[in-house]
């Protein structure tokens, strides 16, 4: 074998190796989806899909009548996530705009890594803060008996999704061609006008993607909400109530459920619903981000 | 921080969920695995430490997770001893029997399940019926049971807890819990909640309401006296005589179970807990030693 053939072989094998690595992610994703589907479908032998999705009562261990309705959990997940987004989006975009436009380079060098380190704090730690710090503070502030409610969860999830929102928004704001801003300033626009009317619209698709990704993180978060929201099964009528999200319900019940019972399959069905929800959110984010990258190139 | 990162987060999360799918691991190795009741975990951990200090040859790992988790683990062969704060359910015994597992149970301590409220609550006693009605969600204001005006804030355990099942069966007349109940992760979290919430009510094992350093009830908590009915006298779970004689209505034995052919070390550990020395530690940790009724049954099972 001559040198060239050897090099070709090496090239090929390296290429195959990377291809297989790329394939792995897809295979894992498909495998998990299939496993979820297979484990979830038997639940619907005994539960009506409509009952499952649109009943408010979840009580699979009831001594009277077992009911499997996840509407309350879906509503809780949506409520807590929306609350988190209402808190995190303005702050996140504000910080991103500050970092990309206003902050001194030295300040940025400190703040940006700090924001990214925030993403690395384990969710258990944040949940613990919810119990010992945010909970009592909320109780005092609103004159409630306790602070284990949806708002507590929203606040913590806002903190957890901030790094995603800030980081990606800042990237997309910095990616706006400098000529846009310069043109605006040359036409007599103030720095505020330049930021709000030129740069933010130009970076909008990147910012939307950032929000979507932050939302995906908030929907899927388990430990934090499990610790901070009180886990009451009642249908949530507001953020000031104790509520139980889909993720915390799975985490609470999967450890003890007898295998291969309707209850067991129903938990996987919740997982499937959650998977579809996060998948949709991520997909929308991906499409928006893709559009944005295309336009920039 | 990019799309891929988020995707991996979701994937690893799901992968963890997948890891929960049944793989019957046998409890192997020299390490003795004890698993189950959260009410018993502190007690059993201390017992294990003291036992290990004397018998350095038998390392013991004590895990919580709730009674239901312990029973599942014993049936699946992933632990040697399972702690429960309730009787085994018929379904669980059937499942064990199907797997050819002969389960032997030992009552190792007695617990006076304590109904706790915040110290600001002026109430001093409740009947069993009232406690049941409160947890079923039929009583929603403290006024209806003789307290001051204020919405009852319910604290309870999650469905994997033996105490959760025990309350449902023995106090609530086998009816479901109110949906508004906050389901906490363990006894300690219930106490945290009740300490902070003036309208709270919670239930925990008696070993949790006593401050170990002073031997007195924990500051900020009020332990309610409970009576069998309106005519009967109400007793405190801290009253040893009342728990022993059954006058305190929600006393219960705490169980340890072994299955199949238990390891000699497992039986050794249980035998030591049942000895005078072990029972002294049980009492020191705030629970009660077992009465004569159970001593006999334990001896029978030990054979």
């Amino acid at each position: 074998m001559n040198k060239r053939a050897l090099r070709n072989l090496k090239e090929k094998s390296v290429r195959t190796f990377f291809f297989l690595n790329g394939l792995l992610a897809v295979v894992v994703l498909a495998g998990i989806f299939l496993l979820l589907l297979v484990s979830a479908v038997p639940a619907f032998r005994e539960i009506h899909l409509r009952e499952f999705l649109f009943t408010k009562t979840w009580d699979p261990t009831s001594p009277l009548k077992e009911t499997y309705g996840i509407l309350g959990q879906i509503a809780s997940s949506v409520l807590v996530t929306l609350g988190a987004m209402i808190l995190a989006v303005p702050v996140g975009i504000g910080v991103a705009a500050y970092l990309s436009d206003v902050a001194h380079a030295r300040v940025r060098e400190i703040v940006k890594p700090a924001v990214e380190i925030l993403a690395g704090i384990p969710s258990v730690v944040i949940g613990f803060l919810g119990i010992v710090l945010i909970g009592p503070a909320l109780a005092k502030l609103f004159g409630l008996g306790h602070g284990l409610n949806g708002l507590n969860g929203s606040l913590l999830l806002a903190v957890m999704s901030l790094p995603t929102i800030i980081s990606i928004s800042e990237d997309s704001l910095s990616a706006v061609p400098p000529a846009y801003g310069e043109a605006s300033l040359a036409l007599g626009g103030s720095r505020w006008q330049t930021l709000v009317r030129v740069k933010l619209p130009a970076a909008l698709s990147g910012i939307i993607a950032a929000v979507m990704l932050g939302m995906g993180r908030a929907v899927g978060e388990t430990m934090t909400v499990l610790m901070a929201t009180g886990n009451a099964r009642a249908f949530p009528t507001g953020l000031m109530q104790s509520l139980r999200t889909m993720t915390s319900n799975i985490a609470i019940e999967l450890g003890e459920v007898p295998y291969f019972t309707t209850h067991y399959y129903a938990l996987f069905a919740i997982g499937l619903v959650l998977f579809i929800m996060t998948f949709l959110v991520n997909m929308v984010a991906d499409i928006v981000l893709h559009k944005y990258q295309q336009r920039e190139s | 921080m990019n799309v891929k990162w988020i995707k991996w987060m979701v994937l690893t999360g799901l992968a963890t969920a997948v890891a929960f799918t049944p793989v019957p691991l046998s409890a192997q190795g020299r390490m003795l695995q004890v698993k189950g009741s959260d009410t018993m975990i502190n007690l059993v951990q201390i017992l294990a430490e003291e036992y290990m200090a004397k018998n350095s040859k038998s390392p013991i790992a004590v895990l919580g997770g709730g009674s239901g988790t312990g029973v599942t683990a014993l049936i699946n062969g992933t632990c040697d001893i399972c702690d429960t704060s309730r009787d085994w359910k018929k379904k669980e015994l059937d499942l064990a029997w199907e797997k050819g597992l002969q389960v032997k149970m030992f009552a190792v301590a007695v617990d006076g399940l304590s109904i706790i409220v915040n110290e600001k609550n002026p109430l001093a006693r409740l009947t069993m019926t009232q406690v049941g009605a409160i947890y079923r969600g039929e009583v929603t204001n403290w006024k209806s049971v003789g307290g001051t005006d204020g919405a009852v804030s319910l604290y309870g355990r999650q469905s994997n807890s033996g105490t959760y099942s025990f309350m449902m069966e023995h106090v609530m007349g086998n009816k479901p819990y109110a949906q508004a109940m906050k389901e906490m992760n363990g006894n300690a979290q219930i106490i945290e909640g009740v300490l902070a919430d003036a309208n709270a009510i919670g239930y925990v094992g008696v070993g949790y309401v006593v401050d170990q350093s002073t031997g007195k009830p924990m500051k900020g908590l009020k332990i309610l006296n409970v009576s069998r009915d309106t005519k009967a006298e109400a007793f405190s779970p801290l009253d040893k005589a009342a728990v022993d004689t059954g006058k305190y209505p929600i006393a219960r034995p705490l169980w340890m179970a072994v299955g199949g052919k238990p390891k000699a070390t497992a039986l050794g550990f249980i035998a030591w807990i049942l000895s005078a020395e072990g029972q002294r530690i049980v009492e020191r940790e705030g629970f009660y030693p077992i009465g004569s009724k159970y001593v006999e049954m334990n001896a029978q099972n030990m054979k």
Side-chain angles (χ1 to χ4, degrees):
Chain A
M1 213 189 282
N2 61 24
K3 233 179 182 175
R4 202 168 145 185
L6 199 68
R7 205 167 56 208
N8 262 339
L9 186 73
K10 196 175 146 199
E11 174 93 20
K12 229 178 222 166
S13 55
V14 167
R15 191 176 292 200
T16 322
F17 177 69
F18 282 125
F19 172 71
L20 286 176
N21 278 325
L23 204 64
L24 185 69
V26 179
V27 169
V28 169
L29 183 71
I32 287 173
F33 182 71
L34 271 179
L35 187 128
L36 266 180
L37 203 64
V38 167
S39 312
V41 164
F44 298 106
R45 282 195 301 234
E46 285 180 42
I47 316 167
H48 220 276
L49 182 63
R50 208 167 44 191
E51 184 206 323
F52 185 69
L53 288 178
F54 300 113
T55 313
K56 289 179 185 173
T57 316
W58 172 265
D59 199 352
T61 51
S62 167
L64 300 178
K65 184 183 178 298
E66 292 143 14
T67 26
Y68 300 90
I70 64 166
L71 191 62
Q73 293 166 32
I74 296 180
S76 298
S77 282
V78 170
L79 202 63
V80 172
T81 308
L82 279 184
M85 288 302 108
I86 289 171
L87 294 166
V89 169
V91 177
I93 296 177
V95 174
Y98 169 74
L99 286 179
S100 77
D101 244 59
V102 186
H104 195 277
R106 220 177 296 156
V107 176
R108 185 163 56 215
E109 266 165 38
I110 298 170
V111 175
K112 196 151 190 215
V115 165
E116 269 151 22
I117 288 170
L118 191 62
I121 297 176
S123 49
V124 185
V125 176
I126 297 195
F128 184 70
L129 286 180
I131 293 180
V132 300
L133 194 75
I134 313 257
L138 283 180
K140 209 168 255 176
L141 198 63
F142 293 100
L144 303 166
H146 61 90
L148 298 173
N149 54 26
L151 184 60
N152 192 341
S154 286
L155 273 167
L156 298 175
L157 287 183
V159 170
M160 295 186 79
S161 52
L162 267 181
T164 316
I165 297 178
I166 295 173
S167 194
I168 298 177
S169 301
E170 204 265 336
D171 286 346
S172 60
L173 274 171
S174 302
V176 172
Y180 287 23
E182 285 157 12
S184 165
L185 291 173
L187 287 168
S190 66
R191 277 182 74 187
W192 170 250
Q193 285 169 328
T194 307
L195 176 66
V196 175
R197 300 206 190 149
V198 178
K199 287 192 177 169
L200 279 180
L204 191 63
S205 45
I207 292 171
I208 290 174
V211 171
M212 290 297 205
L213 289 175
M215 194 144 87
R217 163 117 212 224
V219 173
E221 177 51 43
T222 306
M223 202 57 211
T224 306
V225 284
L226 173 67
M227 291 169 82
T229 57
N231 304 318
R233 279 171 288 159
F235 188 83
T237 52
L239 273 178
M240 289 301 174
Q241 271 199 334
S242 290
L243 42 77
R244 184 191 283 209
T245 64
M246 291 190 274
T247 45
S248 18
N249 189 60
I250 297 175
I252 288 170
E253 294 180 359
L254 197 58
E256 50 93 22
V257 65
Y259 290 149
F260 313 121
T261 55
T262 306
H263 184 187
Y264 173 86
Y265 295 127
L267 290 179
F268 276 89
I270 300 178
L272 188 66
V273 172
L274 193 63
F275 182 89
I276 292 170
M277 278 173 69
T278 36
F279 187 80
L280 285 178
V281 170
N282 274 330
M283 204 172 69
V284 171
D286 234 20
I287 292 170
V288 175
L289 200 65
H290 194 66
K291 189 179 137 206
Y292 151 81
Q293 278 162 345
Q294 246 174 2
R295 205 169 63 188
E296 288 313 320
S297 57
Chain B
M1 294 291 296
N2 51 25
V3 187
K4 212 181 270 169
W5 189 81
I6 304 288
K7 273 187 187 152
W8 276 112
M9 283 278 304
V10 175
L11 286 184
T12 35
L14 285 165
T16 332
V18 173
F20 275 100
T21 37
V23 182
L25 296 164
S26 55
Q28 281 170 345
R30 289 187 319 128
M31 182 82 96
L32 197 63
Q33 301 276 351
V34 185
K35 196 167 183 178
S37 170
D38 177 79
T39 306
M40 295 166 69
I41 186 164
N42 284 352
L43 172 66
V44 177
Q45 223 147 31
I46 284 163
L47 285 166
E49 273 165 29
E50 301 249 347
Y51 185 67
M52 281 187 285
K54 293 191 174 62
N55 304 276
S56 51
K57 268 175 283 173
S58 33
I60 303 169
V62 183
L63 295 169
S67 299
T69 316
V71 171
T72 312
L74 189 71
I75 292 174
N76 291 341
T78 55
C79 75
D80 303 298
I81 299 177
C82 121
D83 302 335
T84 55
S85 60
R86 57 164 169 82
D87 296 340
W88 279 47
K89 292 175 185 164
K90 190 172 174 301
K91 234 194 257 174
E92 293 165 343
L93 285 170
D94 287 348
L95 203 62
W97 190 80
E98 271 169 37
K99 293 219 171 182
L101 209 66
Q102 204 199 346
V103 182
K104 283 183 178 174
M105 281 173 223
F106 303 92
V108 296
V110 173
D111 175 28
L113 183 59
S114 307
I115 307 295
I116 52 172
V117 294
N118 192 281
E119 65 174 349
K120 293 196 191 103
N121 194 323
L123 213 63
R125 58 167 283 177
L126 284 174
T127 65
M128 288 276 275
T129 331
Q130 285 171 327
V131 176
I134 288 172
Y135 271 99
R136 286 193 299 267
E138 291 154 14
V139 169
T140 54
N141 195 306
W142 282 110
K143 231 170 24 183
S144 341
V145 289
T148 45
D149 188 33
V152 177
S153 173
L154 294 171
Y155 290 78
R157 296 281 306 280
Q158 297 161 358
S159 58
N160 58 347
S161 147
T163 315
Y164 178 99
S165 315
F166 182 86
M167 278 287 289
M168 196 146 85
E169 280 160 29
H170 293 87
V171 182
M172 297 162 59
N174 243 338
K175 303 257 169 54
Y177 280 97
Q179 294 257 320
M181 178 174 82
K182 289 172 278 302
E183 299 192 4
M184 315 300 278
N185 244 332
N187 288 279
Q189 270 198 23
I190 292 186
I191 289 182
E192 288 297 322
V194 175
L195 283 175
D197 187 346
N199 285 320
I201 182 166
Y203 54 79
V204 292
V206 67
Y208 279 82
V209 297
V210 177
D211 191 335
Q212 289 311 338
S213 53
T214 60
K216 290 202 180 95
M218 206 178 276
K219 236 182 135 201
L221 281 188
K222 183 190 266 182
I223 302 149
L224 290 184
N225 292 348
V226 181
S227 65
R228 205 168 281 284
D229 49 52
T230 39
K231 280 172 227 146
E233 200 184 334
F235 290 94
S236 159
L238 299 175
D239 180 345
K240 181 170 186 255
V243 173
D244 271 351
T245 52
K247 280 182 188 156
Y248 182 71
I250 32 182
R252 57 176 178 168
L254 300 176
W255 301 94
M256 277 186 159
V258 292
K261 292 192 193 84
K263 288 181 190 165
T265 48
L267 287 177
F269 181 44
I270 294 177
W272 177 78
I273 298 174
L274 298 176
S275 74
E277 197 186 355
Q279 290 296 301
R280 248 200 316 277
I281 297 169
V282 165
E283 205 165 354
R284 193 187 73 204
E285 292 307 314
F287 292 94
Y288 299 108
I290 43 172
S292 51
K293 181 170 103 191
Y294 293 116
V295 170
E296 219 166 282
M297 193 203 84
N298 287 339
Q300 206 90 58
N301 276 343
M302 199 50 92
K303 276 175 203 160

